[in-house]
Amino acid sequence: MKSLIAAALMLGAMALPATAQERLSVALDWTPNTNHVGLYVAQAKGWFKDAGLDVEILPYTDTSSGTLVATGVAEFGILSSIGFYSQRATGADLTVVMAVMQHETGRLVFNGEREDIQRPADLDGMTYAGFGSAWEQALISTIIQNDGGKGEFETVTLGTSAYEALANGTVDFTLEVSTWEGVNSVLLDRPQRAFRYADYGVPDQHTTYLGGNGTWLKANPETARAFVEAAQRGYAFAAENPEEAAEMLIAETGGMLSNPELVRASMQAIVGGGYLQDEGEPVGLIDADMFGNITKFMFEAGVMRDADGKRLEEMPDVSTWFTNAYLKR
């Protein structure tokens, strides 16, 4: 009889479904790159699964990751800082929960062989290859003016074609991410020189965030914590193991990264530059002062607009735009 009971219990256990995993999706702000490394490490290591989560990393589309998250298509997304601030100012249902990059990775670049560009003020009257955002005008004019120039320049909107235009001399300067396009310029043997934003009065900032849908976060705090901690663990692993993390990113993206050498070099630049983690602090921590300083800069520059496209008249309370509550300290 005991053996029959044991067999029945065993069959019953086999018939029960496995513990259901919470399904989540995370949207990318661009095609896979090293800014996303922590997500792919966590996926490869099984840390999302261990947290009871079935996570889908959505492919990049023409719809911004911020829009996908704000409208509830995805629970989480990788968000560019400027895109997030701009969308949040309009009332978008977004809250950032982790700083992927601890410091500004962007810089203003020009051909390293140009003798007529020695300081930002020299850029007055030159041609800038841009990307179509109001932020760029505020940023570049501030840099030039703080060096004693007028802040007047011509703009041609070229998007990612800006880098080829810079290389062939069609334009005089552009903006780049030092840990990606900057690394690629070295690999391509294209000499460049650069001006750092912070050297000319532009506040330092977290350039990339992990953000979530604000309404969903409030309704699902434990699931949110499980996801954020697993992602944080992935980025922490990358900070300690850049070579291994690069290989995981390459493998997990199934051939989408056509230049493995760039991925490996980019990870070295990110970790070597201290972008993933500040000493003595956990990976992902959002600095409240840094957050406040850059949003104040954007407000004063007139970059922040409401849902009707009108310039904000009052500085918003940005303390509600971010939280460190889901991070593991």
Side-chain angles (χ1 to χ4, degrees):
M1 178 65 71
K2 289 183 179 180
S3 61
L4 289 173
I5 294 173
L9 289 172
M10 183 175 293
L11 287 171
M14 291 174 64
L16 292 174
T19 302
Q21 290 190 310
E22 186 85 23
R23 298 197 67 179
L24 297 177
S25 58
V26 54
L28 301 184
D29 61 331
W30 198 248
T31 54
N33 59 67
T34 44
N35 282 353
H36 311 141
V37 65
L39 299 177
Y40 286 102
V41 167
Q43 195 82 294
K45 288 284 191 179
W47 292 334
F48 289 135
K49 184 177 180 181
D50 291 346
L53 304 174
D54 177 8
V55 175
E56 180 184 11
I57 301 176
L58 300 178
Y60 171 71
T61 70
D62 290 339
T63 302
S64 74
S65 56
T67 298
L68 293 175
V69 175
T71 57
V73 175
E75 287 78 17
F76 291 94
I78 298 294
L79 312 173
S80 71
S81 58
I82 302 304
F84 165 73
Y85 301 137
S86 299
Q87 285 188 286
R88 190 65 177 80
T90 69
D93 191 9
L94 295 169
T95 302
V96 291
V97 295
M98 175 180 167
V100 173
M101 293 294 159
Q102 288 299 312
H103 299 284
E104 177 66 71
T105 56
R107 61 183 185 176
L108 186 154
V109 293
F110 51 95
N111 190 310
E113 297 175 347
R114 292 281 295 265
E115 296 184 359
D116 58 335
I117 303 177
Q118 298 298 324
R119 52 188 294 179
D122 294 332
L123 300 174
D124 268 332
M126 292 191 177
T127 301
Y128 162 64
F131 304 87
S133 73
W135 154 255
E136 298 161 51
Q137 177 68 37
L139 170 69
I140 297 169
S141 60
T142 296
I143 291 172
I144 295 174
Q145 289 167 359
N146 283 344
D147 189 48
K150 296 179 180 179
E152 299 174 353
F153 54 93
E154 297 294 325
T155 298
V156 290
T157 301
L158 297 178
T160 55
S161 298
Y163 306 112
E164 285 301 321
L166 183 66
N168 63 35
T170 305
V171 299
D172 299 301
F173 66 100
T174 190
L175 305 178
E176 72 173 14
V177 177
S178 63
T179 54
W180 190 257
E181 289 89 8
V183 169
N184 197 42
S185 71
V186 174
L187 296 178
L188 294 173
D189 195 26
R190 293 175 175 173
Q192 289 183 342
R193 284 184 289 132
F195 298 131
R196 295 177 62 251
Y197 307 161
D199 290 340
Y200 299 94
V202 180
D204 191 14
Q205 66 166 324
H206 303 297
T207 51
T208 307
Y209 290 113
L210 176 64
N213 177 281
T215 300
W216 185 90
L217 291 171
K218 291 177 182 178
N220 301 274
E222 294 308 314
T223 304
R225 185 185 306 279
F227 173 81
V228 173
E229 286 190 359
Q232 180 188 22
R233 188 179 179 187
Y235 281 102
F237 180 91
E240 294 292 330
N241 306 276
E243 298 91 349
E244 190 174 350
E247 298 308 319
M248 289 183 185
L249 175 60
I250 293 167
E252 287 291 312
T253 51
M256 286 187 280
L257 290 162
S258 59
N259 188 347
E261 184 180 5
L262 172 57
V263 176
R264 297 175 183 120
S266 175
M267 279 307 305
Q268 292 296 336
I270 288 172
V271 174
Y275 291 108
L276 281 183
Q277 184 175 20
D278 280 337
E279 186 175 355
E281 294 184 351
V283 166
L285 189 69
I286 301 169
D287 185 295
D289 289 337
M290 191 181 297
F291 196 101
N293 290 338
I294 190 63
T295 48
K296 181 181 179 183
F297 174 85
M298 292 181 65
F299 169 75
E300 293 177 346
V303 176
M304 287 191 177
R305 306 280 170 149
D306 63 19
D308 296 321
K310 297 178 181 178
R311 179 172 176 168
L312 294 188
E313 296 182 358
E314 295 183 3
M315 176 67 189
D317 176 13
V318 298
S319 66
T320 62
W321 292 13
F322 71 93
T323 179
N324 286 311
Y326 303 109
L327 294 172
K328 187 172 184 179
R329 301 297 187 101

